[in-house]
Amino acid sequence: MDFRDSESEAAFRAEARAFLDAHAPDPSELYGDDPLAASNPEGHAAWQKKLAAHGWSGLTWPKAYGGRGLGPIEQIIWNQELARKQLGLSLYMPGLAMAGPTIIAHGSEEQKQRYLGPLLRGEEMWCQLFSEPGAGSDLAGIRCRAERDGDDWVIQGQKTWSSGAEDADFGILLCRTDPTVPKHDGITYFLLPMRTPGVEIRPIRQMNDATHFADTFLNEVRIPDACRLGPVNGGWACAMTTLMNERIGMGGMETFRFDDLAALAREKRERMDPVTRDALVRVWGHGKTLELLNARIVTKLGRGVMPEAESSVMKLAIARLMSEAADMGLRLLGPEAMLRAGTWQNQFLFAPAMHVAGGTDEIQKNVAAERTLGLPKEERADRGVPFQDLPRG
Ligand SMILES: Cc1cc2nc3c(=O)[nH]c(=O)nc-3n(C[C@H](O)[C@H](O)[C@H](O)COP(=O)(O)OP(=O)(O)OC[C@H]3O[C@@H](n4cnc5c(N)ncnc54)[C@H](O)[C@@H]3O)c2cc1C
């Protein structure tokens, strides 16, 4: 494992840092008091526009579509520098990290010309409409139907946990288009204009009072076949492209900064008994582990190898660290933590979501167990069985 940037990586990092030092907004302009809420759509749009104008958007996209044609290492370095400035979360992330790369890989030339430019420039926002009440970890179990009607598709069903759906102009949508074949083979991928009649969005209020995501009901939603991405019933391959790019797009984006916790510990020195001190050092240790994991992934990418289970272990480590740091923050604040809202309280209330979003802890452990430890794969009773014949819960 190599801990240092190569010469070209160091030059790229310096370039990124110089740009951010000169242009980065104060995080409060984008997030208000809550660095996890991404609460100011106008601020995000202005920042995204500036990033695109200076060539800091779509780093890994081909130059022909407005990107810079760089590799995943540069993306991770850029993410790390953004995180250093506490600007890691963006309302444009579903578009930039998921929709864009999937359109580049599977879209027609017409679709690329139509969607990619506005997405890069922050003119159109995207959300991800994959999860359903009965399909999250088992994503291929989606039930939302799309039926062909002449040149159109008519969509009926429900999506849930759709982050940013209220503000989004488009959604990447998975629908069941053939229930007579095994579940992975009967799914089609669509690019859904969110203002289409029949799209109803009901925000879900979280325990930190934010409405980060929503239930999305699709009632007889009619869209033209031009909104289909990739072949009919070929949506699973497109969905895999989306999820793989999500991992790379988010790499290095963790929002935890030990310095903030250390500053709080110094401020609340009277609470630093030996047990608390021990817990604080453990958080520091887990933060260091995360840095090493990051270095391992970057080293692998540098050798031209795509990380696999490392991303899962990384996701587990980030969720653990977020929870531990939030617990620590509250412990240091003491009774004061219950009296008012604040950054640590927010992180404490959001941390459980990190163990679920983008694949739960258990699913990440399954991936690591199978791909790293070589343990036997999970039994799959649904292999080869037509979707319509699967037992329903
Ligand atoms: C903050 C946040 C943002 C999100 N944003 C979006 C979004 O924008 N778009 C979107 O489509 N989705 C989004 N999601 C949904 C997310 O992808 C799902 O919540 C996640 O995939 C888990 O699915 P589920 O909630 O249906 O849980 P389930 O899959 O029902 O899991 C329930 C429990 O069973 C366990 N479990 C399930 N299968 C297995 C197994 N095979 N082995 C062991 N344990 C298992 C799980 O680990 C979990 O503990 C978001 C979620 C969160 C928390």
Side-chain angles (χ1 to χ4, degrees):
M1 190 168 22
D2 195 346
F3 298 108
R4 286 157 308 168
D5 288 337
S6 69
E7 213 172 291
S8 63
E9 287 160 13
F12 179 78
R13 192 182 293 281
E15 190 197 341
R17 234 172 239 193
F19 170 79
L20 288 171
D21 286 344
H23 297 282
D26 189 273
S28 64
E29 285 175 36
L30 303 192
Y31 311 106
D33 291 335
D34 178 1
L36 300 166
S39 57
N40 174 5
E42 293 79 24
H44 279 264
W47 175 226
Q48 183 56 34
K49 197 171 171 187
K50 188 176 274 184
L51 288 172
H54 288 83
W56 289 102
S57 185
L59 295 183
T60 57
W61 294 18
K63 290 182 181 164
Y65 300 117
R68 279 178 65 175
L70 298 171
I73 290 193
E74 283 81 6
Q75 181 70 56
I76 289 180
I77 291 174
W78 170 244
N79 290 353
Q80 288 170 341
E81 293 306 313
L82 274 179
R84 252 172 38 90
K85 289 280 184 191
Q86 289 183 290
L87 293 171
L89 287 181
S90 164
L91 289 178
Y92 289 89
M93 193 48 70
L96 292 166
M98 295 190 249
T102 313
I103 293 170
I104 289 169
H106 301 278
S108 64
E109 193 49 39
E110 208 178 333
Q111 287 171 325
K112 291 174 193 173
Q113 295 299 339
R114 162 63 189 86
Y115 296 114
L116 296 175
L119 199 165
L120 270 191
R121 294 190 295 272
E123 292 160 9
E124 288 173 346
M125 206 179 274
W126 288 69
C127 67
Q128 182 197 25
L129 303 171
F130 281 15
S131 302
E132 297 180 7
S137 304
D138 178 22
L139 183 58
I142 54 160
R143 295 193 177 278
C144 178
R145 283 298 308 266
E147 285 182 13
R148 192 75 192 244
D149 183 21
D151 284 341
D152 294 341
W153 291 88
V154 179
I155 300 165
Q156 182 69 40
Q158 183 192 345
K159 296 289 170 177
T160 191
W161 316 126
S162 327
S163 303
E166 267 194 299
D167 296 311
D169 301 290
F170 292 92
I172 43 175
L173 170 70
L174 292 182
C175 290
R176 171 102 16 227
T177 39
D178 186 354
T180 67
V181 293
K183 61 182 183 180
H184 296 89
D185 303 335
I187 293 172
T188 302
Y189 199 116
F190 295 96
L191 309 174
L192 173 73
M194 293 297 282
R195 320 264 184 260
T196 311
V199 178
E200 188 193 335
I201 297 161
R202 291 188 208 158
I204 301 172
R205 191 159 294 281
Q206 298 151 232
M207 61 180 168
N208 65 352
D209 208 32
T211 47
H212 165 108
F213 40 42
D215 274 320
T216 306
F217 294 88
L218 304 163
N219 305 310
E220 302 277 320
V221 175
R222 182 175 285 272
I223 52 171
D225 189 47
C227 291
R228 172 170 51 82
L229 187 83
V232 175
N233 296 326
W236 189 248
C238 304
M240 289 302 98
T241 303
T242 303
L243 298 181
M244 193 188 75
N245 278 283
E246 178 185 11
R247 276 180 225 127
I248 294 173
M250 303 290 278
M253 204 65 112
E254 49 280 359
T255 51
F256 170 70
R257 297 195 319 171
F258 184 78
D259 288 354
D260 296 342
L261 202 53
L264 182 65
R266 266 183 229 110
E267 193 190 316
K268 307 283 179 190
R269 205 173 278 274
E270 72 281 4
R271 295 220 165 80
M272 287 299 289
D273 56 61
V275 175
T276 308
R277 192 180 296 271
D278 180 59
L280 184 66
V281 172
R282 199 164 324 125
V283 175
W284 177 84
H286 286 159
K288 283 287 157 202
T289 315
L290 199 58
E291 279 175 29
L292 295 180
L293 273 168
N294 237 325
R296 186 168 165 164
I297 289 177
V298 172
T299 306
K300 212 168 171 181
L301 286 168
R303 293 184 187 140
V305 184
M306 286 305 276
E308 279 194 25
E310 285 92 341
S311 310
S312 293
V313 177
M314 184 93 174
K315 167 83 200 336
L316 278 167
I318 291 172
R320 177 178 71 175
L321 188 60
M322 289 280 287
S323 290
E324 286 178 347
D327 283 350
M328 193 66 215
L330 256 58
R331 194 194 285 196
L332 288 168
L333 284 172
E336 184 190 330
M338 290 184 287
L339 298 180
R340 58 183 172 82
T343 305
W344 294 108
Q345 290 89 330
N346 262 323
Q347 182 162 327
F348 179 79
L349 294 173
F350 186 77
M354 290 298 294
H355 296 266
V356 177
T360 67
D361 282 4
E362 289 74 19
I363 295 300
Q364 308 300 345
K365 284 178 187 166
N366 280 352
V367 173
E370 288 171 16
R371 300 203 189 146
T372 308
L373 304 177
L375 295 180
K377 278 188 180 276
E378 256 193 297
E379 283 296 319
R380 270 192 43 200
D382 55 12
R383 197 182 295 275
V385 180
F387 179 75
Q388 63 190 11
D389 297 339
L390 293 175
R392 289 173 187 228

